[in-house]
């Protein structure tokens, strides 16, 4: 463990700043928070953007949005004078032009240099708003302040939330936060299907939605949160408009899933009539089998995409699995709950940020884990691995927990022999 001495243990982490790189590496590109912020702006109909930065940021923004259609997506490139003395005058003129060109709402995206020189973009927004028809919001995306990309998404969503206003509640409307209205590659969770069958309108709030969908969101009876990226916005709506948020993205335990389903039904004034319980008996049987196989196994967690590592680790700890090292893309405010659960169960693993797979893989192998949960892109890892856990993102309830356990047990069994047929786990 001497090579991991620079890492903090989970109990010592208070924010993403405490999560250190596993091996030395600078990783720009898709890990820059500008990437998801701009991509999100380009995929919300009715929202325009203005990237403020150096020529490198301008070129990169064209890579993220190569053929922006419909809404205006402009870049403002700082010249040498503005890098020293600021770009206030130029930004004001540009916003006037975007307003005249028909922008309905503009997201100003400040990059590293405006942040470093202390450009007051929030103050500029407050000053310019009374002069323009377009609504203005801003997000600072300086990469030097963070290791990774999630803040670009959740900060953008929180900024959009600032445009919301109170509305009369419609009791048959539910916000689905983190699922696109055009989503077909992720099956619709049973909970959402059951709501549709009971006549509810589901408003999806995610890339692919319209800005108007977000602005109407305070009229919903509840928000079902399927993604950690949308959780900060859901929390703001809960505080500002009283819209209750039910977090589905971080629950694996069958008892907690059942309790959450009951809470949703109570809030909406409905009965499920056992519509969500079809998979519960099979999951309980599978969980009993898994506990016998997984108790005492030690594992490392690599890239799981947007699927949170800590909620999953807390659930697996209840089955007796020991985390040796966890990769965290971001330490979310809600992760403190999972930290306390892991600590209460006797586990306090080092946590890290992995961005250099070829250098990271030997360190993981040196820990001699029984399993690696997640991926190390491009690296050859000599550890039994459970890959593509990001496929579970967007799922919720019993089916996601069942899929997780089935994947782990399948890897422990090893590859099937030619012609061998295996019964699915949980089948009696």
């Amino acid at each position: 463990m001497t090579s991991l001495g620079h890492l903090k243990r989970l109990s010592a982490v208070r924010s993403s700043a405490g999560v250190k790189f596993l091996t030395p590496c600078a990783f720009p590109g898709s890990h820059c928070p500008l990437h998801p912020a701009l991509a999100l702006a380009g995929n919300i109909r009715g929202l325009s953007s203005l990237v403020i930065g150096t020529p490198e940021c301008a070129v990169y923004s064209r890579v993220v949005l190569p053929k922006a259609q419909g809404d205006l997506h402009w870049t403002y490139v700082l010249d040498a004078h503005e890098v020293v003395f600021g770009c206030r005058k130029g930004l004001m003129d540009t916003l006037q032009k975007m307003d005249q060109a028909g922008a309905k709402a503009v997201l100003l995206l400040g990059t590293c240099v405006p942040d470093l020189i202390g450009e007051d973009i929030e103050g500029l927004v407050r000053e310019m708003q009374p002069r323009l028809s377009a609504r203005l919001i801003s997000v600072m995306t300086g990469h030097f302040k963070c290791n990774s990309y999630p803040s670009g998404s959740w900060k953008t969503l929180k900024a959009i939330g600032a445009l919301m206003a109170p509305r009369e509640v419609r009791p048959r409307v539910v916000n689905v936060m983190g699922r696109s209205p055009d989503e077909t590659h992720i099956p619709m969770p049973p909970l959402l299907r059951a709501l549709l069958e009971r006549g509810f309108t589901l408003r999806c709030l995610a890339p692919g939605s319209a800005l108007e969908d977000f602005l109407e969101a305070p009229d919903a009876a509840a928000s079902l949160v399927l993604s950690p990226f949308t959780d900060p916005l859901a929390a703001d709506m809960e505080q500002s408009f009283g819209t209750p948020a039910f977090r589905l993205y971080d629950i694996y335990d069958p008892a907690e899933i059942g309790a959450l389903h009951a809470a949703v039904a109570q809030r909406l004034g409905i009965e499920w009539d056992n519509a969500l319980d079809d998979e519960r008996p099979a999951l309980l049987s599978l969980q009993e089998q898994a506990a016998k196989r997984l108790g005492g196994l030690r594992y490392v967690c690599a890239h799981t995409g947007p699927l949170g590592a800590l909620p999953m680790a807390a659930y697996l700890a209840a089955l007796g699995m020991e985390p040796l090292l966890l990769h965290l893309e971001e330490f979310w405010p809600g992760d403190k709950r999972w930290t306390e659960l892991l600590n209460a169960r006797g586990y306090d693993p080092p946590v890290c940020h992995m961005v250099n797979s070829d250098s990271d893989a030997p360190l993981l192998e040196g820990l001699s884990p029984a399993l690696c949960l997640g991926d190390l892109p491009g690296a050859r890892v000599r550890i039994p691995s459970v890959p593509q856990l990001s496929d579970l993102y967007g799922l919720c309830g019993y089916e996601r927990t069942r899929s997780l356990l089935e994947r782990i047990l399948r890897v422990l069994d090893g590859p099937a022999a030619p012609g061998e047929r295996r019964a699915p786990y949980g089948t009696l």
Side-chain angles (χ1 to χ4, degrees):
M1 294 291 286
T2 54
S3 58
L4 306 181
H6 64 293
L7 301 180
K8 290 186 177 182
R9 292 196 175 271
L10 181 58
S11 60
V13 173
R14 298 291 180 268
S15 68
S16 293
V19 182
K20 308 300 182 182
F21 288 106
L22 179 58
T23 53
C25 182
F27 198 102
S30 61
H31 268 59
C32 173
L34 174 63
H35 184 286
L38 185 57
L40 185 57
N43 284 282
I44 295 179
R45 299 187 305 280
L47 182 62
S48 297
S49 66
L50 178 63
V51 175
I52 307 160
T54 61
E56 292 83 358
C57 295
V59 171
Y60 180 57
S61 71
R62 295 305 95 190
V63 174
V64 178
L65 290 180
K67 295 180 180 179
Q69 297 179 355
D71 302 303
L72 304 177
H73 296 283
W74 291 14
T75 58
Y76 185 93
V77 180
L78 281 68
D79 61 28
H81 181 272
E82 290 173 316
V83 168
V84 177
F85 297 103
C87 55
R88 175 186 176 82
K89 173 75 167 59
L91 284 179
M92 294 173 72
D93 293 342
T94 301
L95 288 172
Q96 291 277 9
K97 293 177 182 177
M98 293 188 75
D99 189 49
Q100 294 166 5
K104 299 175 183 177
V106 181
L107 170 67
L108 285 76
L109 293 170
T111 57
C112 289
V113 170
D115 209 353
L116 283 168
I117 65 175
E119 192 67 58
D120 186 9
I121 294 178
E122 288 186 9
L124 178 67
V125 165
R126 289 192 296 270
E127 181 178 346
M128 287 297 294
Q129 186 60 84
R131 311 181 193 180
L132 305 177
S133 298
R135 304 287 298 278
L136 303 180
I137 51 177
S138 66
V139 172
M140 300 305 292
T141 63
H143 193 189
F144 67 94
K145 288 187 174 180
C146 62
N147 289 340
S148 193
Y149 63 86
S151 63
S153 289
W154 65 258
K155 285 183 178 180
T156 297
L157 291 168
K158 276 177 67 74
I160 293 173
L163 300 177
M164 296 177 179
R167 293 179 179 244
E168 183 177 350
V169 175
R170 300 163 63 193
R172 306 296 288 181
V173 175
V174 173
N175 295 323
V176 180
M177 306 186 67
R179 183 178 178 89
S180 168
D182 307 320
E183 205 158 282
T184 57
H185 63 289
I186 298 177
M188 182 172 285
L191 176 63
L192 302 187
R193 294 199 302 268
L195 287 174
L196 287 174
E197 292 167 358
R198 284 156 179 76
F200 282 84
T201 297
L202 303 183
R203 179 192 292 119
C204 293
L205 301 178
S209 301
L211 179 62
E212 189 60 30
D213 294 328
F214 284 89
L215 300 186
E216 293 176 352
D219 72 4
S223 295
L224 302 181
V225 187
L226 296 179
S227 166
F229 298 100
T230 58
D231 197 349
L233 173 59
D236 285 354
M237 291 171 58
E238 200 167 25
Q239 181 175 0
S240 299
F241 311 115
T243 310
F246 297 93
R247 292 159 177 86
L248 308 175
Y249 64 88
D250 57 2
I251 301 297
Y252 291 87
D253 180 79
E256 292 188 31
I257 293 170
L260 190 59
H261 288 168
V264 172
Q266 182 179 17
R267 168 63 186 178
L268 299 178
I270 59 176
E271 298 287 343
W272 295 122
D273 299 324
N274 300 319
L276 302 179
D277 291 337
D278 290 348
E279 293 203 33
R280 182 181 175 90
L283 173 57
L284 291 174
S285 175
L286 175 61
Q287 184 174 260
E288 185 177 351
Q289 297 177 47
K292 296 176 182 177
R293 296 282 308 278
L294 303 181
L297 285 183
R298 308 164 81 213
Y299 71 95
V300 292
C301 188
H303 293 271
T304 58
L307 192 74
L310 288 182
M312 182 172 60
Y315 171 65
L316 295 176
L319 301 181
M321 291 188 71
E322 178 185 353
L324 293 174
L325 179 69
L326 299 176
H327 161 76
L328 300 183
E329 199 68 56
E330 177 141 335
F331 188 84
W332 302 89
D335 283 340
K336 294 176 183 178
R337 171 193 174 190
W338 307 113
T339 297
E340 292 170 359
L341 267 177
L342 276 167
N343 292 163
R345 288 167 179 159
Y347 302 116
D348 192 19
V351 294
C352 67
H353 196 67
M354 301 181 193
V355 294
N356 189 356
S357 296
D358 288 335
S359 297
D360 296 337
L363 289 178
L364 299 187
E365 292 167 358
L367 297 175
S368 302
L371 278 175
C372 175
L373 301 183
D375 306 281
L376 282 178
R380 301 188 66 177
V381 185
R382 294 171 294 182
I383 308 169
S385 297
V386 184
Q388 298 178 334
L389 286 176
S390 57
D391 291 350
L392 303 180
Y393 176 70
L395 301 179
C396 63
Y398 302 122
E399 63 174 353
R400 181 178 59 172
T401 305
R402 174 182 53 78
S403 182
L404 172 64
L405 295 179
E406 286 179 348
R407 290 174 183 223
I408 293 174
L409 293 172
R410 193 177 299 124
V411 169
L412 290 178
D413 284 340
E420 179 185 359
R421 297 181 64 185
R422 290 177 177 158
Y425 286 101
T427 299
L428 302 178

